[in-house]
Amino acid sequence: MSLELGTFRPHCVNYESMRSWVRRLFILLSTLAITTASLGSAYNARPKLVVIIVIDQFRADYLERYYDQFGESGFRTFLDHGAWFTNCNYQYANTRTAPGHATLLTGTYSVGHGIGANEWWDPATKRMVTSVQDERTEIIGIAGKSVGASPRNLLTDTLGDELKLATHGKARVFGVSLKDRAAVLPAGYAGNGAYWIDPKSGAWVSSTYYRADVPEWVREFNASHRASKYWNREWKDADEKPLFNTTPRKSKDGTDAGFYEVIGSTPFANDYELEFARELVVYEKLGAGEATDLLTVSLSANDILGHRLGPDTPEMKAMALALDRQLAEFFNFLGHQVGLANVWMALSADHGVAPLPAYASSLHLPAASLGDQRLVERINAAVATRFGVSAKSQFVRNLDYPLVFLDQSAFPSRVNEEEAERAVGEAMKQVGLRGYYTRFQLAHADVPDTELGHKYANSYTPNGGWYVLGVPSPFTIGGTAGTDHATPYSYDTHVPLAFYGIPFQAGVYRTPSEPVDLAPTLASLLGINPPAAATGHVLTEALTSSKNRSSGAGTESPSRKSKPDDSRFQPAGGPQ
C-alpha cells in the first residue's frame, strides 16, 4: 500500500508534517514574543520610563510646516518612527495653560477636572488666586517665605496617581516646567515632586506639599549658578542671523527684569529646563526601579515668545528648529541613560495660538485687538445702566478675555446669580462678542446640542464664583499688543499628539483624536486603570498588538463622546 505524504499512520514518523508544525510553532512563538514585547506592565517596569513632552503653545501645524527642516532625531522621532495623530483637537473653549495640562494627564476636560483657567476670582478672599496656589504650603528651594503650590484644586486624579496606586507607590512621578501650574498639575496628587523656576533668579523651586525641602542635588544645581550662563547671550537662527539677546534690562515698572522675562522667551530657557530634567532623571534614578516611572516635561519658552510675536514670524520658526535639536539631544541622553527600547514617549501641547491680528488683517481677515481695559469699562457701564446703580460700580473683577469674573457683592441684593450673569453676558455682546455662556447655564447643562455648545459645556468649572464665558469672533483678542489663545477655534484647539515606543505602530493617523486620549491610551498599555474621571478613548488603531492597524491614513476611531452625559441641552445665551 502506498503512503501519501501527510497521511497519519500509527508508529510512523511523518517528517513533512513535523516540519510544517515546527514552522507554524516558530511563527506562533515569534508572534507571541513580538506581542508580549509590545504589551506593557507598570508592575514589572515595562517600560522602565514614560516621558510626556508638553510644549506650551505649540500648534499642530508647526510639525507639518517645518517637517522638511527638522533633523532625524528630534521631532521626527515621533513623526517618522512613532504614531502621529495629525487631527487632534481640544473639545472645549478655555484653551489656557492650566486647563490644558490638567486635561492631558486626567483624560477629561474642565467639567471633569475642575481647572477652568490659570487663575480665578475667589469670592471668599475677594482676590484672584492661581490654579495651584495653596496657602497651606510654602515655596522651597530659595530663601524667604512665600505661598506654595499644590494640585488640590484638581477634582480628579491623574495618570501618575493611577500609576502610584497600581504599583503600591513604587512608581516615581515627577513634573518639570518653568511654570508652576505646568509642573504641579501633571504630577498629580501623589507625585514625588514638581519643580519650576523662581521667575526672578531662575532657581529651581518646589513646594512643601511634596517635601520639607528640596533634595541635595537640587540645592547643588542652584548653588552652581547654572542659570547665570544664559545671561548676556545672543540667540541666532540657523543662518547665524541675530534674533535676540539676553542682556540684563529693566522691566516696565523700572525694576531689574528677571530670568523668566528675559531668557524665558529664548531657546536658552529650553536648554536650561532640559538640563535640569536630565539631572532629575539621573539623581532620582528614573527608569531604574521595580515599576514604571513617569516624567512630564512642559517646555514654556514657546508660549512666552508666541504671545509677543505670534506664530508666523522668523523667531517662532527659529524656536521650533532649535527645540528640534534640543529634543534630539534629550532623547539621546535617555537612550544612553535608560535605553530607548525601555522608554515610551508622548508629545502634545496645552493649546495653540491665534495669528497676530495685524498679520491676519493684512490678509483681509476680520481680526481685531479690542483692549481689555476699555472692554471692562464698557461692560461695567452697561450693567450699571441695566440695574440703575452708580456708573462707578465695578461688577467685573477680572477680564481674561473672553472670560469675565464678577464681584457678586457689587450687584444689588435683589439680583441673583442667573440675572447678574445674563446682564453681563448681554453687555459683552454689546461690546462685540458673538455670544456668551454663564456659569449658571453651564452648571445646569443649559447649552445647545451643538459642537460649540458641547465645547462650552466641557469648559465648566465650579471654581471662580460668578463668571461668564464669552464667545469671541475668530481672530479677535482682548489685548492691544501681541496675540493670545483661549477660544474654541482651530488655531487654539489643534495640537500635536504623537507616541513613540515598542507598542506603537509607526504611521500617520488622520482620524479625529483628542488630548483626553493620551492618558487612557498610556494607562491601557501599562495595564493600569485610567484616571478616575477620564472620558478619552484608547487609540487602538495605533497599537502594534491591535487588530486595527494603520501605517498610513489611519483607521476609523470609535465615535467620539466629547459632549457631557446630560440630555438637558437647551439653547440659551450663546450662538448655536
Side-chain angles (χ1 to χ4, degrees), residues 387-403:
F387 292 120
V389 297
S390 170
K392 296 182 179 180
S393 299
Q394 300 295 310
F395 304 102
V396 176
R397 297 305 304 183
N398 179 268
L399 171 60
D400 185 17
Y401 187 87
L403 172 60

Side-chain angles (χ1 to χ4, degrees), residues 458-500:
N458 284 335
S459 304
Y460 168 71
T461 172
N463 294 319
W466 295 0
Y467 62 81
V468 182
L469 265 169
V471 182
S473 297
F475 307 108
T476 300
I477 67 168
T480 56
T483 187
D484 204 359
H485 40 91
T487 77
Y489 303 123
S490 62
Y491 50 76
D492 283 344
T493 64
H494 189 202
V495 296
L497 181 62
F499 300 89
Y500 172 83

Side-chain angles (χ1 to χ4, degrees), residues 33-87:
I34 294 171
T35 302
T36 302
S38 68
L39 294 176
S41 172
Y43 314 96
N44 299 314
R46 294 202 307 266
K48 294 182 178 180
L49 177 63
V50 174
V51 177
I52 299 175
I53 304 292
V54 184
I55 309 174
D56 204 322
Q57 197 196 107
F58 198 83
R59 294 187 353 180
D61 60 310
Y62 292 167
L63 296 179
E64 305 268 12
R65 188 183 300 191
Y66 305 124
Y67 176 88
D68 290 338
Q69 298 171 67
F70 290 147
E72 293 294 326
S73 305
F75 284 114
R76 287 173 67 170
T77 298
F78 292 103
L79 310 186
D80 294 348
H81 307 290
W84 176 18
F85 289 83
T86 63
N87 189 19

